[in-house]
């Protein structure tokens, strides 16, 4: 019975993907990728997702360390807050960012007074992508830092006189590098595929805020072939990310 249900689950997951892959216009892929709008969306998505990952790393890794190693009141609340964007509807995330950084927003009002406008700019795309993708990095890094093996090795090094900075560089980071790499890749992949928060907070401006997922949505109405090509690229990237990380996840569970 379970085998039958498992097979049905595989079919349920595979059929939509096959529906996309079987419709790829292979004879026009090169011309579609050479299209100015498509190339612009590709370039913008790659750049913004990279910057979003850097932003997530700069802010998220220290938070992951604090959550893993520091005891303080309200820790559960902070952890819930850190992973909330992962389960929050993307459009709601975009609305929250708009109300925070918009012209009349909580922070945006002050930024506007000094001449800084964030919504509907490329910066807004980076912020939206980092906001929804950061939890993936935080969870991965925190889990690695809470590993009993890592903690025991650090304690042994401390008993031998190793300084905190030495323990960090020689023990913590090397032992956590696999989780850190996995978290960064997952964060980047999530940022690359972000749609709802981006279109709500940054809008749909060609060459400025129109990323690949938004371009897919727009192309569905006018140029379905472009939508299929862009959608297939996103699908392939997502699959490659999972394929590369599969060994690490399975080994960690073994």
């Amino acid at each position: 019975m379970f085998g039958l249900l498992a097979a049905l689950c595989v079919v349920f997951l595979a059929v939509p993907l096959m529906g996309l892959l079987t419709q790829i216009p292979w004879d026009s892929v090169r011309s579609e990728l050479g299209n100015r709008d498509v190339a612009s969306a590709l370039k913008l998505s790659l750049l913004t997702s990279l910057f979003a990952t850097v932003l997530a790393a700069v802010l998220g890794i220290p938070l992951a360390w604090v959550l893993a190693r520091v005891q303080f009141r309200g820790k559960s609340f902070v952890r819930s807050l850190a992973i909330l964007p992962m389960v929050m509807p993307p459009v709601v995330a975009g609305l929250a960012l708009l109300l925070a950084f918009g012209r009349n927003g909580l922070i945006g009002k002050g930024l506007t007074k000094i001449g800084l406008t964030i919504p509907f700019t490329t910066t807004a795309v980076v912020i939206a992508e980092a906001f929804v993708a950061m939890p993936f990095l935080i969870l991965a890094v925190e889990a690695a830092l809470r590993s009993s093996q890592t903690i025991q090795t650090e304690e042994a090094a401390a008993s031998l006189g190793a300084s905190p900075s030495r323990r960090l560089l020689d023990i913590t980071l090397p032992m956590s590098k696999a989780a850190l790499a996995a978290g960064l890749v997952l964060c980047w992949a999530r940022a690359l595929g972000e749609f709802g928060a981006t279109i709500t907070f940054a809008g749909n401006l060609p060459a400025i805020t129109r990323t690949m997922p938004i371009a897919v949505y727009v192309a569905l109405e006018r140029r379905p072939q472009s939508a299929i090509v862009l959608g297939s690229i996103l699908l392939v990237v997502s699959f490659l990310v999972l394929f590369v990380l599969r060994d690490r996840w399975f080994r960690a569970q073994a």
Side-chain angles (χ1 to χ4, degrees):
M1 183 64 178
F2 268 52
L4 176 60
L5 292 175
L8 289 175
C9 181
V10 171
V11 172
F12 176 74
L13 295 173
V15 167
L17 304 181
M18 294 301 297
L20 174 63
L21 294 176
T22 56
Q23 295 299 318
I24 297 176
W26 296 106
D27 56 339
S28 60
V29 167
R30 179 174 297 181
S31 61
E32 290 294 340
L33 291 177
N35 180 277
R36 185 176 62 182
D37 293 336
V38 174
S40 174
L42 279 168
K43 180 180 178 181
L44 182 64
S45 288
L46 292 174
L47 288 176
T48 56
S49 61
L50 178 61
F51 280 113
T53 302
V54 172
L55 177 60
V58 170
L59 299 178
I61 293 176
L63 178 57
W65 185 88
V66 169
L67 291 173
R69 299 300 177 84
V70 180
Q71 296 299 325
F72 58 93
R73 294 183 61 181
K75 183 175 180 178
S76 296
F77 173 78
V78 173
R79 180 180 288 112
S80 298
L81 185 65
I83 65 175
L84 182 60
M86 180 183 290
V87 296
M88 180 186 296
V91 174
V92 176
L95 177 60
L97 290 170
L98 190 60
L99 294 176
F101 296 100
R103 291 181 180 273
N104 296 313
L106 189 64
I107 299 176
K109 186 180 298 185
L111 294 176
T112 301
K113 290 181 181 180
I114 61 175
L116 294 178
T117 301
I118 294 179
F120 309 107
T121 64
T122 304
T123 301
V125 177
V126 174
I127 292 175
E129 291 177 347
F131 183 76
V132 300
M134 193 182 300
F136 292 88
L137 176 60
I138 293 174
L139 286 177
V141 176
E142 183 190 356
L145 293 174
R146 293 178 65 185
S147 167
S148 59
Q149 182 179 3
T150 303
I151 295 175
Q152 290 171 2
T153 306
E154 289 179 4
E155 291 176 346
S159 67
L160 295 174
S163 64
S165 59
R166 185 70 179 272
R167 297 197 301 269
L168 176 65
L169 295 175
D170 293 347
I171 298 174
T172 307
L173 292 180
M175 294 187 70
S176 305
K177 63 181 181 181
L180 178 59
L184 288 171
V185 172
L186 283 174
C187 179
W188 172 75
R190 179 65 184 87
L192 184 67
E194 167 52 32
F195 171 77
T198 302
I199 198 170
T200 305
F201 181 48
N204 175 29
L205 303 175
I208 299 176
T209 66
R210 182 178 292 177
T211 57
M212 288 175 62
I214 297 176
V216 171
Y217 179 77
V218 172
L220 277 173
E221 298 181 357
R222 295 177 297 178
R223 304 182 70 246
Q225 286 191 337
S226 294
I228 295 173
V229 171
L230 283 171
S232 300
I233 292 173
L234 288 174
L235 175 61
V236 170
V237 169
S238 301
F239 178 81
L240 288 176
V241 168
L242 295 177
F243 184 79
V244 169
L245 297 179
R246 74 194 189 288
D247 288 339
R248 183 196 172 277
W249 285 335
F250 293 150
R251 288 172 185 170
Q253 294 171 2

